[in-house]
Amino acid sequence: MKKTLGRLIIELLIASILSVIIGTIVDKCTNITIPDDMQNFQFNIITITTVFAGFSFSVLGVLISLSSTSVMERLKETSELKTSCNVITDSIVFFMVTFFWALSFILGFEQPFIAIFRIRKGYLFSVEMGHLLYGIILFLRSVYRMAYMIHYIFSDSQRKADKKLKDFSASVKNIKKEMENFKSNSDDM
């Protein structure tokens, strides 16, 4: 747990630093400004983050429900399942961090940060948007990993079904052959 929490904290710090760097570059090189109606914008961000977090929870639920299949039992022996769970939970955490940033903008809690660190509101806004963007990237990555695992599970099921069909066809041929032998033997008598 400590290793996972430490990794998550490092990811959060790196995402924050990258967000500030990108925000500085965007602020210096473009005319992009923070929205005039910040409160309504932040309510929209809260809606977006909660929807994405809900989808991430759904993906996690699907992953957990699939974990009882025989293929997933084999995947548990690899790092694939753990990595997928980590990506999903990381996306949920980043969406929740973005949620709290938006909530702090709505409640006016960003003002002390601006006063203490002598930074512009745009920097805090860019950190918030950076966390949202990284959360979306992690969400897309988790969906891709789930699609891969589902494909793997169904392709394994298809191989088993093909083998059963082949065995069944062979059994039917053997039964036909035995019936023909029996018929020819009974005709000879």
Side-chain angles (χ1 to χ4, degrees):
M1 181 69 180
K2 286 181 183 177
K3 191 174 185 179
T4 303
L5 184 61
R7 181 190 49 78
L8 184 60
I9 290 171
I10 289 171
E11 269 188 70
L12 281 167
L13 288 174
I14 290 172
S16 297
I17 291 168
L18 287 175
S19 297
V20 169
I21 291 170
I22 291 170
T24 303
I25 292 169
V26 167
D27 188 44
K28 300 284 184 203
C29 299
T30 65
N31 286 336
I32 296 175
T33 58
I34 59 175
D36 293 330
D37 188 9
M38 185 60 113
Q39 196 163 21
N40 280 337
F41 182 80
Q42 293 303 325
F43 278 116
N44 292 338
I45 293 299
I46 285 176
T47 301
I48 290 168
T49 59
T50 54
V51 167
F52 271 114
F55 283 140
S56 294
F57 275 114
S58 296
V59 171
L60 188 60
V62 169
L63 181 63
I64 290 170
S65 69
L66 290 175
S67 65
S68 64
T69 64
S70 63
V71 175
M72 290 300 272
E73 290 296 325
R74 285 185 276 155
L75 280 176
K76 284 180 185 177
E77 298 169 3
T78 68
S79 63
E80 188 70 31
L81 195 59
K82 183 178 178 183
T83 303
S84 294
C85 285
N86 284 341
V87 170
I88 295 167
T89 54
D90 288 356
S91 73
I92 293 168
V93 168
F94 274 89
F95 289 132
M96 290 300 97
V97 167
T98 305
F99 172 84
F100 287 117
W101 274 110
L103 195 60
S104 72
F105 273 108
I106 290 170
L107 298 175
F109 293 153
E110 84 281 359
Q111 296 305 327
F113 284 105
I114 292 170
I116 293 170
F117 297 111
R118 299 182 192 275
I119 56 176
R120 292 183 18 187
K121 196 173 194 175
Y123 289 122
L124 294 177
F125 180 70
S126 66
V127 169
E128 175 192 27
M129 292 299 101
H131 284 105
L132 177 63
L133 179 63
Y134 193 64
I136 292 171
I137 290 168
L138 288 172
F139 172 75
L140 293 174
R141 188 173 161 213
S142 70
V143 169
Y144 174 78
R145 292 182 76 82
M146 280 301 301
Y148 169 77
M149 277 194 252
I150 289 171
H151 172 74
Y152 184 76
I153 289 168
F154 284 123
S155 65
D156 187 61
S157 297
Q158 185 63 45
R159 280 191 297 272
K160 287 179 182 177
D162 291 343
K163 184 182 180 315
K164 285 181 181 180
L165 181 63
K166 187 177 176 182
D167 292 345
F168 178 75
S169 296
S171 296
V172 168
K173 285 180 184 178
N174 286 338
I175 290 171
K176 271 185 169 180
K177 197 181 276 186
E178 287 177 12
M179 289 184 73
E180 287 174 5
N181 287 341
F182 179 74
K183 185 178 178 186
S184 67
N185 287 340
S186 63
D187 287 341
D188 290 340
M189 293 188 180

